[in-house]
C-alpha cells in the first residue's frame, strides 16, 4: 500500500516546528535574573566597582613605595671623551686623545629625620580611605541597581496596563460599532472611540520602548549582555522607623564620616611632617670608578658618609602649617554639615516610607472605585443611558488608578531600600552575596 505524502502539509509542519524550536530557544536563552543574583553580578562585573578595586591596589602600592624610601639606590654612569689632541702629561709630553670614565655608586639612606615613618603612616591612612571609599561605592551601586531593577519591573507593569487599556478600548469600540449598526449610537461615538484606540496603541508602544530602555540601563549597570527576565523580589525588612535609632545607625555606618576622620589624621601627620624640616638627613654613599685611556682602566673607590641639615626654607614650613590648620577647620565644618544632612535624609526617608504605605491603601480603594465606575459606565452605555464620553472618562480614570497603584507599590519598596541605604545597612541586607565578592 502506497502512502501519499502531502508536500504542502509537510512544509507547513516543518515551518511550525522551526518556529516552536526558535521560540523555545529564545525562552531558554532568557535567564531569570533575581535581585540577589543581580547584586552578585554587580559586585563581580560593575566597571565602577572594578575601578574602585584598582584604587585599593594603587593605595597598597603607595604604602609599599613609602617603605622603599629606606631601600638603597644603585647607579651606573659611563662616558667616553674624544679630545682634539692628546692630553698633556704632568711630566711633559702628550698622552692619549681618548678618555673612558665608568662609575658604579650605591647610596643607602640611614636616617631621614623620621619622615619616612610618617609617610608610611599617611600611606596606610590612604589605603584605609580607598577601602572605605570602596564600601561607599558598593552601597551606592547596589542602590542604583535596586532602582534600575525596579525600573524594569515597573516598565513591565506599565506595558501590561497599557495592553489591558487597549483591550478595553477595543472591546468598547466593538460595542459602539454594534450600537451604530443597531441605530442606537451616533457616528461621533465611533470617531471618539477610534481616537481613543489610536491613543491607546501609541501609549502601548511608548511603554514597550520605555521597557526596552529600562532593560538596557540595568544590563549596562551589570555589564551584562545575555537576555534576562526579572521578577518582583520577596522583601523582608527588619528595621525600626524610629528616627533616633536609624540616625545613630547611620552615623556608625556612614563611610563619608569615616573618610573625614581618616583625612583628619592625615592632616595632623602632614602638620607634624612640616615640623620635621629642620631634622638632618644621613646617608652613606659608596662608589667604584674606572678611568683612563682604555675602558675600565685605572680603578679607584670611595666611601662617603653625608649629613644634610636644612637651615632655612624661606618660611614655607610655617605657611604650610597654617594651610594644614585651615584644612582641619574645613574638615570639622564638613563633618557638621554631613551629620545634619544625614539626619534630614533619614527623616525624609522615614516619612516617605510611611506616606507610601498609606498611599497604597488609598490607591487600592481608588482602583476598586474606578473599576466599579467603569463597569457601570459600560453597562449604562449599552443600555443607552450614558454617553460615550462617560465611558472614555471612566476608562481613563481606571487606567490612571492602575498606574498610580503600580507606582505606589514600587516606590514603597524602593523607599524601604533607601532607608536601609541611608542607614548604611544595604550591604548587610545582601550580606551572603556581598561577602562572597571577589
Amino acid at each position: 500500500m502506497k502512502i501519499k505524502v502531502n508536500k504542502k502539509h509537510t512544509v507547513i509542519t516543518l515551518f511550525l516546528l522551526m518556529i516552536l524550536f526558535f521560540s523555545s530557544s529564545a525562552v531558554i536563552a532568557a535567564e531569570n535574573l533575581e535581585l540577589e543574583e543581580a547584586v552578585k553580578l554587580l559586585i563581580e562585573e560593575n566597571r565602577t566597582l572594578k575601578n574602585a578595586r584598582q584604587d585599593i591596589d594603587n593605595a597598597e602600592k603607595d604604602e609599599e613605595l613609602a617603605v622603599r624610601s629606606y631601600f638603597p639606590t644603585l647607579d651606573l654612569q659611563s662616558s667616553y671623551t674624544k679630545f682634539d689632541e692628546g692630553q698633556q702629561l704632568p711630566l711633559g709630553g702628550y698622552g692619549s686623545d681618548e678618555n673612558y670614565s665608568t662609575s658604579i655608586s650605591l647610596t643607602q639612606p640611614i636616617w631621614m629625620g623620621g619622615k619616612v615613618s610618617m609617610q608610611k603612616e599617611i600611606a596606610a591612612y590612604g589605603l584605609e580611605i580607598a577601602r572605605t571609599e570602596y564600601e561607599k561605592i558598593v552601597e551606592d551601586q547596589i542602590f542604583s541597581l535596586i532602582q534600575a531593577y525596579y525600573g524594569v519591573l515597573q516598565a513591565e507593569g506599565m506595558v501590561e496596563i497599557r495592553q489591558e487599556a487597549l483591550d478595553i478600548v477595543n472591546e468598547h469600540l466593538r460595542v459602539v460599532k454594534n450600537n451604530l449598526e443597531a441605530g442606537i449610537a451616533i457616528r461621533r461615538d465611533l470617531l471618539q472611540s477610534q481616537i481613543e484606540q489610536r491613543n491607546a496603541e501609541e501609549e502601548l508602544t511608548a511603554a514597550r520602548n520605555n521597557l526596552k530602555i529600562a532593560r538596557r540601563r540595568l544590563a549596562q549597570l551589570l555589564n551584562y549582555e545575555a537576555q534576562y527576565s526579572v521578577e518582583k523580589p520577596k522583601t523582608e525588612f527588619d528595621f525600626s522607623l524610629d528616627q533616633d535609632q536609624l540616625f545613630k545607625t547611620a552615623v556608625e555606618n556612614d563611610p563619608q564620616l569615616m573618610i573625614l576622620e581618616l583625612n583628619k589624621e592625615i592632616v595632623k601627620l602632614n602638620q607634624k611632617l612640616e615640623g620635621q624640616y629642620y631634622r638632618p638627613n644621613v646617608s652613606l654613599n659608596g662608589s667604584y670608578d674606572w678611568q683612563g685611556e682604555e675602558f675600565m682602566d685605572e680603578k679607584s673607590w670611595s666611601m662617603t658618609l653625608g649629613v644634610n641639615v636644612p637651615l632655612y626654607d624661606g618660611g614655607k614650613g610655617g605657611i604650610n602649617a597654617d594651610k594644614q590648620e585651615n584644612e582641619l577647620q574645613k574638615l570639622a565644618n564638613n563633618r557638621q554639615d554631613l551629620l545634619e544632612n544625614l539626619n534630614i535624609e533619614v527623616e525624609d526617608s522615614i516619612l516617605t516610607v510611611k506616606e507610601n504605605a498609606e498611599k497604597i491603601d488609598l490607591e487600592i480603594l481608588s482602583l476598586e472605585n474606578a473599576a466599579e465606575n467603569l463597569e457601570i459606565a459600560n453597562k449604562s452605555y449599552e443600555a443607552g443611558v450614558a454617553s460615550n464620553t462617560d465611558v472614555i472618562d471612566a476608562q481613563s480614570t481606571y487606567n490612571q488608578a492602575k498606574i498610580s497603584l503600580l507606582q505606589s507599590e514600587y516606590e514603597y519598596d524602593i523607599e524601604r531600600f533607601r532607608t536601609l541605604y541611608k542607614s548604611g545597612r544595604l550591604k548587610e541586607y545582601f550580606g551572603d552575596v556581598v561577602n562572597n565578592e571577589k
Side-chain angles (χ1 to χ4, degrees):
M1 182 178 67
K2 291 184 179 180
I3 300 176
K4 272 192 164 186
V5 178
N6 190 318
K7 292 183 178 180
K8 182 179 179 182
H9 288 170
T10 302
V11 171
I12 292 173
T13 303
L14 288 172
F15 180 70
L16 291 174
L17 286 172
M18 288 175 65
I19 292 176
L20 181 61
F21 172 78
F22 286 114
S23 63
S24 299
S25 299
V27 171
I28 293 172
E31 299 178 7
N32 183 31
L33 186 63
E34 296 181 355
L35 182 57
E36 287 197 351
E37 180 65 24
V39 172
K40 181 180 178 182
L41 275 171
L42 178 85
I43 299 298
E44 295 174 352
E45 302 297 337
N46 180 262
R47 285 182 281 265
T48 301
L49 290 178
K50 286 182 178 180
N51 288 343
R53 286 194 283 270
Q54 292 295 327
D55 290 339
I56 293 175
D57 188 50
N58 286 338
E60 289 173 346
K61 286 179 170 56
D62 286 339
E63 188 176 21
E64 184 179 350
L65 285 172
V67 175
R68 286 179 179 265
S69 296
Y70 279 125
F71 282 35
T73 58
L74 184 65
D75 298 297
L76 171 65
Q77 184 176 358
S78 184
S79 65
Y80 166 75
T81 305
K82 175 73 173 176
F83 301 98
D84 60 345
E85 59 183 20
Q87 301 178 71
Q88 188 172 4
L89 299 175
L91 299 179
Y94 290 89
S96 173
D97 59 354
E98 295 180 325
N99 183 68
Y100 293 90
S101 176
T102 303
S103 174
I104 294 178
S105 61
L106 176 71
T107 302
Q108 172 64 62
I110 297 176
W111 193 60
M112 302 180 72
K115 297 174 185 176
V116 173
S117 60
M118 280 186 284
Q119 288 170 346
K120 180 177 180 295
E121 198 172 348
I122 289 172
Y125 281 124
L127 176 57
E128 285 304 309
I129 288 175
R131 287 171 176 165
T132 307
E133 282 281 6
Y134 177 74
E135 297 301 316
K136 179 183 179 300
I137 294 172
V138 169
E139 290 267 337
D140 294 343
Q141 291 298 306
I142 290 177
F143 186 65
S144 296
L145 167 66
I146 290 167
Q147 290 177 305
Y149 192 91
Y150 274 90
V152 174
L153 288 171
Q154 187 167 329
E156 287 180 344
M158 284 296 296
V159 170
E160 293 176 4
I161 290 173
R162 294 305 185 188
Q163 181 63 62
E164 182 188 6
L166 180 59
D167 294 341
I168 290 173
V169 168
N170 287 336
E171 174 59 23
H172 178 64
L173 183 59
R174 184 189 66 80
V175 173
V176 170
K177 288 179 179 178
N178 290 340
N179 287 357
L180 189 62
E181 291 175 1
I184 57 176
I186 59 177
R187 182 163 179 77
R188 180 167 173 263
D189 292 350
L190 178 62
L191 295 176
Q192 279 183 326
S193 297
Q194 287 174 336
I195 290 172
E196 289 302 312
Q197 182 189 47
R198 285 194 292 273
N199 290 338
E201 288 172 345
E202 290 174 2
E203 288 171 341
L204 177 57
T205 300
R208 285 172 174 164
N209 290 339
N210 290 338
L211 174 58
K212 183 179 179 181
I213 296 301
R215 285 184 174 278
R216 287 192 63 187
R217 291 190 188 283
L218 178 58
Q220 187 270 336
L221 195 62
L222 299 175
N223 194 17
Y224 191 65
E225 296 181 357
Q227 295 294 322
Y228 66 89
S229 61
V230 297
E231 60 181 41
K232 187 174 181 181
K234 297 177 182 178
T235 52
E236 296 180 3
F237 297 96
D238 179 24
F239 62 84
S240 168
L241 290 178
D242 178 75
Q243 183 175 349
D244 291 337
Q245 182 178 342
L246 277 178
F247 177 65
K248 181 181 178 181
T249 304
V251 171
E252 291 173 353
N253 296 331
D254 190 84
Q256 289 178 290
L257 286 171
M258 299 177 193
I259 291 170
L260 282 177
E261 290 301 317
L262 291 169
N263 276 319
K264 183 179 176 181
E265 295 303 317
I266 289 176
V267 171
K268 288 180 178 178
L269 281 170
N270 280 327
Q271 275 186 320
K272 191 175 179 182
L273 196 58
E274 292 295 335
Q276 306 290 76
Y277 175 78
Y278 298 104
R279 289 193 176 188
N281 295 326
V282 182
S283 62
L284 183 65
N285 180 268
S287 66
Y288 202 92
D289 305 291
W290 294 267
Q291 187 166 339
E293 298 177 359
E294 297 181 2
F295 183 64
M296 303 186 77
D297 190 3
E298 299 179 11
K299 304 173 185 177
S300 64
W301 64 272
S302 65
M303 185 74 68
T304 305
L305 179 65
V307 180
N308 178 40
V309 183
L311 297 178
Y312 181 61
D313 66 348
K316 291 186 288 185
I319 295 173
N320 286 327
D322 291 340
K323 285 175 63 178
Q324 300 300 329
E325 193 62 39
N326 290 337
E327 287 297 320
L328 285 174
Q329 187 59 49
K330 283 172 59 179
L331 289 172
N333 292 336
N334 291 341
R335 187 178 188 279
Q336 188 60 36
D337 282 340
L338 188 58
L339 286 171
E340 291 177 5
N341 289 333
L342 193 58
N343 199 4
I344 293 171
E345 288 173 355
V346 167
E347 182 180 10
D348 178 61
S349 185
I350 291 170
L351 293 174
T352 307
V353 168
K354 292 179 178 179
E355 178 186 332
N356 283 331
E358 295 173 357
K359 190 176 179 181
I360 288 175
D361 294 335
L362 292 175
E363 296 298 348
I364 290 173
L365 183 60
S366 296
L367 179 58
E368 291 173 352
N369 292 336
E372 185 179 351
N373 184 53
L374 178 59
E375 185 179 357
I376 292 172
N378 284 330
K379 290 181 178 179
S380 298
Y381 179 79
E382 290 177 12
V385 295
S387 68
N388 191 55
T389 302
D390 293 334
V391 176
I392 292 173
D393 289 344
Q395 290 172 352
S396 177
T397 302
Y398 174 74
N399 292 336
Q400 189 55 52
K402 291 207 74 174
I403 292 171
S404 297
L405 178 58
L406 174 75
Q407 291 174 338
S408 296
E409 287 176 339
Y410 287 129
E411 285 173 5
Y412 177 60
D413 272 357
I414 290 174
E415 285 303 323
R416 289 194 292 172
F417 276 117
R418 188 191 300 277
T419 304
L420 283 177
Y421 171 55
K422 291 302 178 183
S423 59
R425 293 182 56 196
L426 203 51
K427 275 187 64 179
E428 179 185 331
Y429 185 87
F430 297 100
D432 293 340
V433 175
V434 175
N435 292 335
N436 290 327
E437 64 185 87
K438 290 182 179 179

